[in-house]
Amino acid sequence: MTVQAIALITITDRETLSTYRDKAAEALARHGGSLIVVDPDPQVLEAAGEKPDIAALMSFPNLESARAWREDPDLAATHALRNKGGKSTIVMLPG
């Protein structure tokens, strides 16, 4: 079953996050994932905390693929770039 994930990112280091963005699509594809849409200025209807600077909707073939993307040791450096470049929350949305 296809699942989506939404990533909400508050930028802390634009240069590092730009480097991450250059690698993100390839890292997703490694586990069958893809970007559906990225919004660099998301409109927030309600927030418990600060407004994210970026929202990205991703798709994966299944939950296992999404977890494999996040837990792949070969992608640790790529995920580290995202976490250095911003504070992110990634939430799975089963389809």
Side-chain angles (χ1 to χ4, degrees), residues 7-58:
L8 304 172
I9 302 172
T10 301
I11 299 170
T12 57
D13 179 338
R14 283 194 185 279
E15 187 174 324
T16 300
L17 199 59
S18 178
T19 302
Y20 167 73
R21 281 194 306 260
D22 292 343
K23 300 173 183 269
E26 183 179 326
L28 283 168
R30 185 177 178 127
H31 292 282
S34 62
L35 282 170
I36 296 172
V37 65
V38 177
D39 189 342
D41 186 24
Q43 302 302 305
V44 177
L45 298 178
E46 184 174 336
E50 59 190 287
K51 174 189 176 289
D53 296 309
I54 300 169
L57 183 62
M58 302 170 281

